Amino acid sequence: MDYVDRNRASFDKLAHQSGVKWSHRELTVQFISSFQMLLGGNCVLDLGCGVGHDALRLKRYNLQVQGLDISEVMLAEAKQHVRGVEFMQGDFRHIPTDDDLYDGVWANASLIYLTKEDFHKAADEVYRVLKPGGVFFSSYRIGEGSCVSDGIFNQLYGEEEIQSILRSHGFRIFDRMNTKDEDDTFFSLYAVKQ
């Protein structure tokens, strides 16, 4: 079993646990309004949608949202609680949609679940599915190396490192910020497909 399969199994177990604290949910409230205002259209992919918390908030901004997650169990929860959003099972490294489809991709602390090697594949995929000029919001845990938390692999990044990776995949970064919660520091940024 590789790390992606282990992550999927861990996410499946967490899907039904109501007491799970997802620290990145505070980022949603902080950044979603700006994300919506930056879009040139209303078609958005919630990359790593989990049980649909962010997809629901995005939908409330009158956005046409599709949610993608690797965990079928989390997607089943999302489908039960969030109406009017299309949810699909898939891997960030091979997003199962057409090219140039989305005005925006929202990846709120979801790409941290990939190794650096696989993150490069996912960055290419995000670039592929975004329309030219499309907006990419993403957030990352700041640190060095990797760790496993609740059975889930997490890759940590430095700020300069993540910006360099995204630039190398054709993104232009136009805003970035740090946020802290009691446990982690997150680095969030807005980028555009050039």
Side-chain angles (χ1 to χ4, degrees), residues 3 111-117 119 140-149 152-159 161-162 165 184-185:
Y3 84 96
L111 293 167
I112 62 174
Y113 304 127
L114 296 175
T115 62
K116 287 184 184 183
E117 178 183 340
F119 176 72
Y140 309 88
R141 287 177 66 192
I142 295 295
E144 293 182 11
S146 62
C147 64
V148 175
S149 177
I152 301 166
F153 173 87
N154 283 245
Q155 182 66 56
L156 308 179
Y157 290 96
E159 294 175 31
E161 177 183 23
I162 201 65
I165 291 170
D184 292 302
T185 299

Side-chain angles (χ1 to χ4, degrees), residues 97-166:
T97 64
D98 293 334
D99 297 354
D100 304 322
L101 184 62
Y102 300 103
D103 299 294
V105 172
W106 177 266
N108 188 8
S110 57
L111 293 167
I112 62 174
Y113 304 127
L114 296 175
T115 62
K116 287 184 184 183
E117 178 183 340
D118 284 343
F119 176 72
H120 282 275
K121 295 174 188 173
D124 281 338
E125 282 292 280
V126 170
Y127 190 89
R128 178 185 66 79
V129 302
L130 270 173
K131 294 177 183 176
V135 177
F136 179 34
F137 171 83
S138 55
S139 56
Y140 309 88
R141 287 177 66 192
I142 295 295
E144 293 182 11
S146 62
C147 64
V148 175
S149 177
D150 292 322
I152 301 166
F153 173 87
N154 283 245
Q155 182 66 56
L156 308 179
Y157 290 96
E159 294 175 31
E160 291 303 319
E161 177 183 23
I162 201 65
Q163 292 179 82
S164 176
I165 291 170
L166 292 179

Side-chain angles (χ1 to χ4, degrees), residues 14-22 25 150:
L14 293 171
H16 301 298
Q17 295 181 15
S18 59
V20 175
K21 181 184 178 288
W22 299 100
R25 284 175 65 181
D150 292 322

Side-chain angles (χ1 to χ4, degrees), residues 13-192:
K13 289 177 189 172
L14 293 171
H16 301 298
Q17 295 181 15
S18 59
V20 175
K21 181 184 178 288
W22 299 100
S23 55
H24 66 278
R25 284 175 65 181
E26 287 78 28
L27 298 176
T28 306
V29 175
Q30 188 172 357
F31 298 117
I32 203 164
S33 177
S34 299
F35 175 73
Q36 180 268 333
M37 288 188 293
L38 293 165
L39 298 174
N42 72 340
C43 187
V44 173
L45 176 64
D46 181 3
L47 193 63
C49 63
V51 297
H53 294 295
D54 286 6
L56 178 61
R57 286 197 166 98
L58 289 162
K59 182 179 175 287
R60 288 179 179 157
Y61 279 89
N62 294 317
L63 297 172
Q64 178 187 339
V65 183
Q66 287 185 311
L68 174 73
D69 204 272
I70 200 159
S71 168
E72 291 180 9
V73 177
M74 285 203 163
L75 289 170
E77 286 288 307
K79 289 174 185 176
Q80 278 188 331
H81 301 292
V82 183
R83 302 284 180 236
V85 171
E86 178 187 350
F87 292 103
M88 57 190 164
Q89 196 274 334
D91 188 318
F92 303 162
R93 300 168 297 179
H94 309 285
I95 299 173
T97 64
D98 293 334
D99 297 354
D100 304 322
L101 184 62
Y102 300 103
D103 299 294
V105 172
W106 177 266
N108 188 8
S110 57
L111 293 167
I112 62 174
Y113 304 127
L114 296 175
T115 62
K116 287 184 184 183
E117 178 183 340
D118 284 343
F119 176 72
H120 282 275
K121 295 174 188 173
D124 281 338
E125 282 292 280
V126 170
Y127 190 89
R128 178 185 66 79
V129 302
L130 270 173
K131 294 177 183 176
V135 177
F136 179 34
F137 171 83
S138 55
S139 56
Y140 309 88
R141 287 177 66 192
I142 295 295
E144 293 182 11
S146 62
C147 64
V148 175
S149 177
D150 292 322
I152 301 166
F153 173 87
N154 283 245
Q155 182 66 56
L156 308 179
Y157 290 96
E159 294 175 31
E160 291 303 319
E161 177 183 23
I162 201 65
Q163 292 179 82
S164 176
I165 291 170
L166 292 179
R167 286 186 189 111
S168 74
H169 289 275
F171 291 99
R172 181 177 56 82
I173 297 162
F174 61 90
D175 199 6
R176 55 196 177 278
M177 61 292 301
N178 287 344
T179 53
K180 283 184 171 252
D181 71 6
E182 61 220 35
D183 301 318
D184 292 302
T185 299
F186 285 89
F187 178 62
S188 302
L189 55 83
Y190 295 101
V192 65

